[in-house]
Amino acid sequence: MQSLVCDQPGRLELVTRPRPEDRPGHIRLKIEAIGICGTDYHIYKGQQPFLSYPRIMGHELAARAMQDSSDGRIKGGDLVAVNPYITCGECRACTTGKPNCCENIGVLGVHRDGGMCEEIVIPEANAYAAPGLQPRAAAMVEFLAIGAHGVHRAGIGSGSTALVVGAGPIGLGAALFAQIAGASVTVRDTSSERLDLARAILPDATCETVDAAGGGAFDAVFDATGNIKAMNAGLRFVAHGGAYVLLSVVKGDLLFADPEFHKRETTLFASRNALKADFEHVMDCMARGLVPIDAFGTHSTTLEAAVTDLPKWAEDRNTVVKALIHV
């Protein structure tokens, strides 16, 4: 089968590899669309720690079932969205309903080969039926579920105010699902190009540059910058009694003044990956027309053309929200 391989930082190659073997409890899927994530760009540029090359990237996946699942939940030919977090099922997190932070997690396309290829075989439990969706929409479910998970952790609802710092795909997803939850949303970024994209996706949100922002206090602040300085600075925007949700994960130390943290009685959340309920929430919102799929999907390519397109987009992140590979 055709597979797009990053065999070392800075080099992609389309190669022929054997089709994966069947395994008990697994389901064979034909890949139809792949969202390119920031993680994929980092892998290509050699910036992803704890990763071995060569690697087939791709964890934002829409696929067609090539067989029935053993429990009858999925029929051959069904479109599915893939949950790429392969978990152990045995650690404390897994056994207490938090598999998104499994102690032994293996993410498709990162810790093991992913979906930038023609077929994959994954655990049946990681395939979610996506009735009524098109492949390009199903390929966006995973990254949107990350934002939806952060919003759920913050517990915001109608009448809440929310600030999202960082207008990349994850931040825009969080902003969208904060709006769906009923919050009034402000999005801030240092890039005017990113903010223009944010306005197209979130016409009801306030979008402003970080430098021009005067401050304000919000019931929930979401950091999606991937910048430790921004993460340390975001506390000052949290209202008294509010929540600070870190969608970003970077190397570095969180440092902010305890008096500022304490006087607000701040609730501090890390938000990692997403749960099945988040995937289902995203797909339900898509089916109800609440997700501007066309506005999110700014770029597209084929598996063959991705050899040249992905490196180009890796250097032009300010004008790309979500690029999709169609197989």
Side-chain angles (χ1 to χ4, degrees), residues 151 161-176 178 185-191 194-195 198 202 205-211 213 215-216 218 220-238 243-249:
V151 169
T161 58
L163 169 65
V164 177
V165 186
I170 300 299
L172 292 174
L176 174 65
V185 173
T186 298
V187 178
R188 292 178 183 164
D189 199 282
T190 58
S191 166
R194 282 277 186 196
L195 291 172
L202 302 159
T206 299
C207 300
E208 55 194 24
T209 62
V210 171
D211 293 339
F218 299 84
V221 175
F222 300 87
D223 181 273
T225 63
N227 182 293
I228 194 63
K229 290 183 178 179
M231 293 164 74
N232 286 333
L235 176 66
R236 70 183 188 272
F237 301 121
V238 180
Y244 190 23
V245 184
L246 301 178
L247 300 168
S248 300
V249 56

Side-chain angles (χ1 to χ4, degrees), residues 85-120:
Y85 323 130
I86 310 301
T87 59
C88 71
E90 298 176 352
C91 70
R92 181 64 177 169
C94 285
T95 57
T96 56
K98 301 175 183 178
N100 59 303
C101 51
C102 168
E103 295 175 20
N104 306 296
I105 201 165
V107 180
L108 294 175
V110 181
H111 305 108
R112 60 187 71 187
D113 282 341
M116 290 189 184
C117 57
E118 293 182 296
E119 292 181 18
I120 60 172

Side-chain angles (χ1 to χ4, degrees), residues 259-291:
E260 292 299 317
F261 180 78
H262 204 87
K263 75 181 184 182
R264 290 168 167 78
E265 198 180 45
T266 309
T267 302
L268 178 64
F269 288 106
S271 184
R272 186 182 185 194
N273 300 328
L275 295 167
K276 181 181 181 182
D278 303 308
F279 280 76
E280 292 172 341
H281 178 48
V282 170
M283 289 191 284
D284 176 65
C285 289
M286 285 179 166
R288 292 160 55 198
L290 301 178
V291 179

Side-chain angles (χ1 to χ4, degrees), residues 38-326:
T39 298
D40 301 318
Y41 296 125
H42 292 156
I43 292 170
Y44 169 74
K45 298 177 82 170
Q47 299 168 344
Q48 186 71 18
F50 312 118
L51 181 132
S52 59
Y53 297 86
R55 176 63 69 224
I56 298 176
M57 301 180 293
H59 62 270
E60 300 178 3
L61 306 175
R64 193 74 59 179
M66 299 179 71
Q67 57 194 147
D68 295 352
S69 62
S70 61
D71 61 4
R73 181 175 50 88
I74 295 169
K75 302 295 184 184
D78 284 353
L79 183 71
V80 301
V82 172
N83 179 336
Y85 323 130
I86 310 301
T87 59
C88 71
E90 298 176 352
C91 70
R92 181 64 177 169
C94 285
T95 57
T96 56
K98 301 175 183 178
N100 59 303
C101 51
C102 168
E103 295 175 20
N104 306 296
I105 201 165
V107 180
L108 294 175
V110 181
H111 305 108
R112 60 187 71 187
D113 282 341
M116 290 189 184
C117 57
E118 293 182 296
E119 292 181 18
I120 60 172
V121 173
I122 64 167
E124 290 182 345
N126 288 72
Y128 303 152
L133 298 186
Q134 295 299 314
R136 68 193 308 264
M140 297 186 199
V141 171
E142 189 271 344
F143 88 86
L144 291 171
I146 292 174
H149 182 70
V151 169
H152 178 74
R153 283 181 64 71
I156 58 177
S158 180
S160 299
T161 58
L163 169 65
V164 177
V165 186
I170 300 299
L172 292 174
L176 174 65
F177 282 91
Q179 278 194 341
I180 290 172
S184 174
V185 173
T186 298
V187 178
R188 292 178 183 164
D189 199 282
T190 58
S191 166
S192 59
E193 294 94 342
R194 282 277 186 196
L195 291 172
D196 286 341
L197 293 169
R199 292 183 184 99
I201 292 170
L202 302 159
D204 296 328
T206 299
C207 300
E208 55 194 24
T209 62
V210 171
D211 293 339
F218 299 84
D219 297 316
V221 175
F222 300 87
D223 181 273
T225 63
N227 182 293
I228 194 63
K229 290 183 178 179
M231 293 164 74
N232 286 333
L235 176 66
R236 70 183 188 272
F237 301 121
V238 180
H240 284 230
Y244 190 23
V245 184
L246 301 178
L247 300 168
S248 300
V249 56
V250 298
K251 288 185 176 181
D253 295 326
L254 286 172
L255 298 169
F256 34 71
D258 180 65
E260 292 299 317
F261 180 78
H262 204 87
K263 75 181 184 182
R264 290 168 167 78
E265 198 180 45
T266 309
T267 302
L268 178 64
F269 288 106
S271 184
R272 186 182 185 194
N273 300 328
L275 295 167
K276 181 181 181 182
D278 303 308
F279 280 76
E280 292 172 341
H281 178 48
V282 170
M283 289 191 284
D284 176 65
C285 289
M286 285 179 166
R288 292 160 55 198
L290 301 178
V291 179
I293 293 164
D294 291 339
F296 273 108
T298 53
H299 295 68
S300 64
T301 189
T302 63
L303 202 58
E304 296 82 0
V307 173
T308 55
D309 285 337
L310 192 152
K312 177 177 61 178
W313 294 330
E315 303 300 328
D316 185 26
R317 303 285 298 283
N318 280 344
T319 62
V320 179
V321 177
K322 184 53 58 179
L324 296 168
I325 299 172
H326 295 278

